[in-house]
Amino acid sequence: MVLLAGVLATALLAGGVAAYPVPYVVLEPGPTVDTLGQDVIAVTGADTSASAGQLRLTTVQVRTDITLPEALGAWHDDDRALVPRTVVYPPGLSDRQVEQKNAESFSTSQRNAEAVARREVGRPFEVSFGDEDIGGPSAGLMFTLGLVDKLTPADLTGGKIIAGTGTVDEAGAVGAISGIPQKLLGAKAAGAQIFLVPAANCAEAVRNAVPGLPTARVATVDEALAALRTFAAGGTPPPCPGPA
């Protein structure tokens, strides 16, 4: 915080105008997407079922070209995060290269979700994913759960709104992601009744807990499915523990 204040103060003095750009970006709660929507995941070649609830992936919106007043405003706003631009756009990579890398990660998350879901339901199927304006690998878990829910007779949601995040590898392990504080806020705004958190992100989720939005700790797709079944039946899945 002291370093940030120094940078902002120096920029203000050097620029002399409020529109002076600063080397930071603002992270804000982004939109959520229901992976059970037909326009998000379309399955062919296998029987599918409908669900009364929702399985929403969560996102973070990145605002660039931040002015000094905007940076100072975000610095004092608990719902947003001000971070160095290099956190999102690493040195040596152009904005276009970063976007391409995020698009490739997003495609990998879809392929992994398809592979894991196929193993979970035990039969082949064809799937196409909607052209969502999303990047990165963190939708993997919710894509997987959306596919499994569509391909099994039971309604895994129990008619409830469930949000979450996390990468998924081909073995079904759920990996850590970034932007937990903003994703929790986005989930709450979308009416989520519980949030599935990668085990590695649990401490961060507890530090940034959102009132009225319980969490469930998941380290694998199987644990996430168990959490869904427990919550749909009216139970309480294992929550995130506090920081060690």
Side-chain angles (χ1 to χ4, degrees), residues 99-115:
E99 291 169 0
Q100 179 63 33
K101 184 178 179 180
N102 286 338
E104 292 171 356
S105 296
F106 189 61
S107 295
T108 298
S109 73
Q110 293 173 331
R111 289 195 299 271
N112 288 348
E114 183 178 353

Side-chain angles (χ1 to χ4, degrees), residues 38-64:
Q38 186 67 20
D39 57 339
V40 180
I41 299 177
V43 176
T44 56
D47 292 335
T48 59
S49 63
S51 295
Q54 302 174 16
L55 291 172
R56 305 194 75 88
L57 64 84
T58 51
T59 67
V60 175
Q61 184 170 308
V62 180
R63 290 184 55 209
T64 59

Side-chain angles (χ1 to χ4, degrees), residues 24 34 50 62 65 108 111 128 140 163 165 174 179 183 185 189-190 197 220 227:
Y24 289 84
D34 181 14
V62 180
D65 298 324
T108 298
R111 289 195 299 271
S128 61
T165 190
V174 177
K183 290 181 177 180
L185 291 169
V197 181
T220 65

Side-chain angles (χ1 to χ4, degrees), residues 74-99:
W75 188 18
H76 293 287
D77 186 347
D78 292 338
D79 291 352
R80 298 183 292 166
L82 183 68
V83 301
R85 195 177 192 281
T86 53
V87 171
V88 178
Y89 298 96
L93 294 179
S94 67
D95 291 3
R96 184 177 181 83
Q97 288 174 317
V98 171
E99 291 169 0

Side-chain angles (χ1 to χ4, degrees), residues 70 76 178 180 183 192 196 210:
E70 291 170 333
H76 293 287
S178 60
I180 280 288
K183 290 181 177 180
L196 306 181
V210 174

Side-chain angles (χ1 to χ4, degrees), residues 160 229-237:
K160 300 176 180 179
R229 295 184 180 107
T230 297
F231 191 65
T236 302

Side-chain angles (χ1 to χ4, degrees), residues 133-152:
D133 187 19
I134 303 170
S138 65
L141 173 62
M142 300 311 290
F143 275 142
T144 305
L145 298 179
L147 278 168
V148 174
D149 197 4
K150 283 175 176 283
L151 290 160
T152 51

Side-chain angles (χ1 to χ4, degrees), residues 178-240:
S178 60
I180 280 288
Q182 290 73 41
K183 290 181 177 180
L184 287 168
L185 291 169
K188 178 64 175 178
Q193 295 163 273
I194 196 169
F195 192 95
L196 306 181
V197 181
N201 288 119
C202 261
E204 183 182 11
V206 170
R207 291 194 301 270
N208 295 276
V210 174
L213 181 62
T215 60
R217 176 189 184 276
V218 296
T220 65
V221 169
D222 285 342
E223 287 186 4
L225 289 169
L228 289 183
R229 295 184 180 107
T230 297
F231 191 65
T236 302
C240 272

